[in-house]
Amino acid sequence: MLSKLQKIFLIALGGFSTQAMAADRPIQFPAYESAIVVSSTLSQTIGGRRAPGWGVGGEAIYSRDTFNTGGSLKYFPEGTDNPIFSVFVGSGYKRLLQLQVGYGTEDAIYRVHSEMDLPVVWTFTKNAMHGVFKRPGVLDYYPNNRFVVSMTWEKYDSARHLDNIAFGLGLRY
């Protein structure tokens, strides 16, 4: 039986080896979505009577085309003594919708993660308030602005009272 540290190492190694194969292929599309996003999050648990309430944390996620990997840290001050660490890999449609599975201090974790550029969200909201429902173009916001908003739904296998929804603000590198 593998220890928790060995399982985390194997998951991370699998993620890096898959990315090494992707690095050998030629870039076919000049506008591919590749990014490392480092963000801070605010979480709210969504389960049961023993739910610890709100929590804070952070995460770093690397996404390229359909592959993503990363790690997160969460701390629920009213319900856990130790912080919760997890490492995960996944697949999805660029950064807009990612399905992830991982392992951490609370055993297996399943995640649905989504990221959007903050200027796109801001411009879409501003246009929607005036009744214009169109996708923002490049000229509607600063293309070099790296701020990102994220939303994550997490489900823990062995600690259902920690299931949560998290909202984050971060930077894309």
Side-chain angles (χ1 to χ4, degrees), residues 1 4 10 18 41 57 66 73 168:
M1 191 69 173
K4 285 186 181 183
L10 287 175
T18 305
T41 60
T66 60
L73 161 76

Side-chain angles (χ1 to χ4, degrees), residues 88-120:
F88 43 83
V89 296
S91 182
Y93 179 70
K94 300 184 182 183
R95 294 181 298 128
L96 296 177
L97 181 63
Q98 303 169 358
L99 303 174
Q100 302 165 337
V101 62
Y103 193 81
T105 55
E106 300 297 325
D107 293 329
I109 181 174
Y110 307 98
R111 297 169 39 111
V112 176
H113 181 79
S114 178
E115 298 173 1
M116 291 190 73
D117 294 335
L118 184 60
V120 173

Side-chain angles (χ1 to χ4, degrees), residues 111-133:
R111 297 169 39 111
V112 176
H113 181 79
S114 178
E115 298 173 1
M116 291 190 73
D117 294 335
L118 184 60
V120 173
V121 174
W122 178 262
T123 305
F124 183 79
T125 305
K126 185 175 70 172
N127 288 343
M129 288 173 42
H130 295 4
V132 179
F133 296 100

Side-chain angles (χ1 to χ4, degrees), residues 11-124:
I11 290 172
L13 183 64
F16 288 124
S17 65
T18 305
Q19 190 57 37
M21 291 184 291
D24 294 336
R25 68 173 182 200
I27 297 174
Q28 298 171 354
F29 304 102
Y32 64 94
E33 292 280 332
S34 178
I36 295 175
V37 175
V38 178
S39 61
S40 59
T41 60
L42 184 61
S43 304
Q44 176 65 45
T45 56
I46 55 174
R49 293 186 302 245
R50 297 186 324 145
W54 64 275
V56 294
E59 60 188 18
I61 298 176
Y62 174 75
S63 300
R64 179 177 177 137
D65 300 334
T66 60
F67 171 76
N68 55 69
T69 184
S72 72
L73 161 76
K74 287 201 186 302
Y75 179 67
F76 294 95
E78 298 174 356
T80 59
D81 294 331
N82 299 323
I84 301 167
F85 296 97
S86 58
V87 177
F88 43 83
V89 296
S91 182
Y93 179 70
K94 300 184 182 183
R95 294 181 298 128
L96 296 177
L97 181 63
Q98 303 169 358
L99 303 174
Q100 302 165 337
V101 62
Y103 193 81
T105 55
E106 300 297 325
D107 293 329
I109 181 174
Y110 307 98
R111 297 169 39 111
V112 176
H113 181 79
S114 178
E115 298 173 1
M116 291 190 73
D117 294 335
L118 184 60
V120 173
V121 174
W122 178 262
T123 305
F124 183 79

